[in-house]
Amino acid sequence: MANIVVFGSQWGDEGKGKIVDMLAEKASAIVRFQGGNNAGHTLVVNGEQCILHLIPSGVLHAGKKCLIGNGVVLDPAVFCEELDALAKRGIDVSSERLMVSKKTHVIMPYHCAMDVARESAKSDGKKIGTTGRGIGPCYEDKMHRCGIRAGDFANKELLREKIEKALEEKNVLLKHLYGEDPIDAQAVYDKIEPYVDRLVPYLGDVSSAIQEANEKGGMVLFEGAQGTHLDIDHGTYPFVTSSNTVTANAASGSGCSPRALDRIVAIVKAYTTRVGGGPFASELFDENGDYMQRQGGEFGATTGRKRRCGWLDMVVLRESVRLNGPTELAITKLDVLSGLKELKICVAYKYNGKEILYPPQEQNGMAYVEPVYETLPGWDDDITGAQSWDDLPDNARDYLKRIEELSGVPVGLVSVGPDRAQTF
Ligand code: GDP
Ligand code: IMO
Ligand code: MG
């Protein structure tokens, strides 16, 4: 059965969790391949909400394997908290079905300290607005080749040694550059130790698990986190996260061949949101933006921050199509637009006197563009009960058709409410 990759096409929070949960019904295994607990993926089943930060969004379906790939950065305390919260709901979180790659890098308390210290030292306008979860510093250690990997938890001596070594450098920075208290290696070890024995039974070979699932004829579902415009290479650098969020990383971040990625689903919010700093061409500062924020309940699922809102940006989406190769679009939160008289779609940018169809590649270039809009009529009908294309008002259908035309990709899924069932 064809494997599926789900990715965010904008700046995250497009509704990936909801769609992954829905598609997981047909999967044998669901894999996270990048990011960490900076992600907040919301699932609503029969009116009950569940927010996942680390564990794949297929976990609510009994019997499905949930895999955390090598490309993820894992905070062991958050992993254990999430296991406990799910177990409380009666969900099986045994090592029979959950696996963490031995190659997954581990977020340590000093990564969070560095993340927060770095952000605090930045002046307004320069702050990335990170989630403060230690994501960037953990990926830095990985690239610097001094990171701690989940597999190291099976060797306490090595773990202790690596903590001591890492702190030699971190403490110089914390103390002398950021004016923070140095961190004691023994204290870090003591804080981590309770999670060591809990994590070890989950360690495994995720790459082989994917291969096995496919060899048995099962489908593997790859769950992206963040969004394309937060990608470390292709996003609005430096206002990005520290991993590759594009679909190519589904292969390297989990340990499979790019040829294993068959169907690619772009999650597209029917408008645009962004949380944290950085340029956002179609951002609204008027009643339309407030309407989207309110109707869409646009607050971050991880940090609770208000999400910035704006019109759908096809320049952003066009770039996502080029970078990720989606076979279909899943349009989410279409219901949120009900009640707006007119809808705008940003179809191009004016930049340095020229009209451009893709985001500028100069640092912070997007901050200097002027969006070019096309206007479509809105609709008033409540569409939260729609179960088919035919249930949508004409203007909602035209809005979707225009997205298909402008992106060149067919709409395969439409979501009209947070519940698993509100999808067709
Ligand atoms: P993710 O990070 O991409 O998984 O998205 P988040 O969970 O951070 O944010 C999406 C929010 O929108 C969550 O609160 C979802 O419950 C909600 N949501 C998802 N799809 C829909 C939809 O079609 N309509 C409405 N009204 N809410 C939705
Ligand atoms: P999901 O998977 C939206 C943003 C942060 C910040 C920037 C860098 O739920 O879509 P980081 O902590 O990663 O170093 O922060 O990236 N960010 C997200 N925004 N959704 C996310 O994840 C995000 N993960 C990180 O707000 O601007
Ligand atoms: Mg989210």
Side-chain angles (χ1 to χ4, degrees):
M1 199 173 174
N3 295 331
I4 305 179
V5 189
V6 166
F7 75 95
S9 63
Q10 294 149 320
W11 279 287
D13 303 328
E14 298 91 349
K16 298 175 292 294
K18 175 189 159 156
I19 302 299
V20 168
D21 165 66
M22 202 204 92
L23 295 172
E25 198 190 336
K26 295 218 163 70
S28 313
I30 302 91
V31 201
R32 276 280 308 267
F33 57 88
Q34 45 74 227
N37 59 305
N38 47 349
H41 295 178
T42 314
L43 286 48
V44 182
V45 183
N46 299 325
E48 206 179 320
Q49 192 188 62
C50 171
I51 299 179
L52 295 164
H53 300 287
L54 210 41
I55 291 178
S57 297
V59 74
L60 300 188
H61 294 272
K64 312 285 177 184
K65 294 248 189 249
C66 290
L67 313 173
I68 296 185
N70 56 279
V72 170
V73 286
L74 178 135
D75 184 323
V78 175
F79 178 69
C80 292
E81 267 167 39
E82 217 156 78
L83 291 182
D84 293 341
L86 287 166
K88 247 193 197 156
R89 286 169 176 250
I91 292 158
D92 171 19
V93 288
S94 67
S95 54
E96 298 293 300
R97 68 176 300 218
L98 283 181
M99 188 191 280
V100 175
S101 166
K102 290 178 193 169
K103 298 177 181 174
T104 301
H105 278 252
V106 178
I107 299 178
M108 301 298 280
Y110 47 81
H111 291 134
C112 301
M114 289 291 293
D115 191 358
V116 173
R118 282 221 178 101
E119 277 286 281
S120 311
K122 288 195 171 98
S123 56
D124 283 349
K126 297 254 193 259
K127 286 188 200 293
I128 298 167
T130 70
T131 57
R133 304 298 197 259
I135 305 296
C138 184
Y139 278 117
E140 278 169 41
D141 279 3
K142 171 176 174 170
M143 295 309 177
H144 194 44
R145 292 160 291 184
C146 65
I148 292 174
R149 304 201 297 178
D152 300 341
F153 274 34
N155 180 346
K156 289 188 181 174
E157 235 6 78
L158 176 66
L159 177 60
R160 192 186 286 274
E161 220 174 87
K162 281 192 163 184
I163 293 173
E164 279 166 12
K165 191 76 198 141
L167 280 170
E168 277 176 18
E169 192 181 55
K170 308 279 183 269
N171 277 336
V172 174
L173 292 172
L174 283 170
K175 193 165 165 218
H176 299 291
L177 187 61
Y178 299 116
E180 302 287 339
D181 290 336
I183 295 174
D184 177 54
Q186 184 63 42
V188 170
Y189 187 81
D190 291 345
K191 201 168 172 191
I192 287 298
E193 204 190 6
Y195 306 116
V196 172
D197 294 336
R198 282 199 71 187
L199 185 65
V200 167
Y202 291 98
L203 297 177
D205 177 350
V206 165
S207 174
S208 298
I210 292 171
Q211 187 182 23
E212 254 168 54
N214 279 156
E215 279 172 358
K216 285 185 189 153
M219 181 263 271
V220 177
L221 177 55
F222 297 85
E223 175 179 6
Q226 289 81 54
T228 299
H229 295 268
L230 288 171
D231 182 279
I232 184 73
D233 288 298
H234 301 290
T236 43
Y237 193 88
F239 300 97
V240 292
T241 190
S242 298
S243 64
N244 281 117
T245 60
V246 291
T247 49
N249 197 22
S252 48
S254 66
C256 72
S257 155
R259 286 194 295 161
L261 313 176
D262 304 301
R263 199 176 138 194
I264 298 181
V265 181
I267 312 298
V268 184
K269 199 179 272 190
Y271 47 101
T272 312
T273 62
R274 176 163 205 174
V275 58
F280 175 0
S282 64
E283 185 167 10
L284 287 166
F285 301 95
D286 63 5
E287 63 278 11
N288 290 319
D290 292 345
Y291 187 84
M292 292 169 186
Q293 204 278 327
R294 224 176 28 251
Q295 296 295 114
E298 295 295 356
F299 289 97
T302 296
T303 57
R305 290 176 290 177
K306 234 184 193 187
R307 294 178 185 146
R308 302 152 64 190
C309 297
W311 299 118
L312 182 66
D313 185 342
M314 291 308 301
V315 179
V316 157
L317 187 55
R318 208 177 275 124
E319 174 91 331
S320 289
V321 168
R322 174 158 81 178
L323 294 168
N324 297 290
T327 50
E328 70 220 78
L329 309 179
I331 309 289
T332 61
K333 304 193 93 160
L334 188 65
D335 55 299
V336 173
L337 299 180
S338 295
L340 288 171
K341 254 194 180 51
E342 287 184 331
L343 303 173
K344 289 193 178 171
I345 298 180
C346 172
V347 291
Y349 295 158
K350 275 195 192 136
Y351 183 61
N352 289 337
K354 280 200 201 117
E355 206 163 280
I356 56 170
L357 297 176
Y358 291 91
Q361 299 196 344
E362 292 76 21
Q363 171 152 324
N364 219 17
M366 197 186 280
Y368 303 97
V369 304
E370 191 193 319
V372 178
Y373 288 114
E374 195 176 281
T375 305
L376 277 78
W379 60 89
D380 275 328
D381 321 47
D382 175 1
I383 58 168
T384 54
Q387 281 296 300
S388 73
W389 181 254
D390 293 338
D391 292 341
L392 292 177
D394 287 346
N395 289 351
R397 278 188 255 173
D398 288 346
Y399 187 69
L400 297 178
K401 280 191 219 151
R402 192 67 189 131
I403 298 173
E404 286 188 326
E405 278 166 12
L406 289 165
S407 66
V409 186
V411 172
L413 275 161
V414 181
S415 170
V416 290
D419 204 278
R420 187 192 276 172
Q422 290 173 296
T423 322
F424 59 87

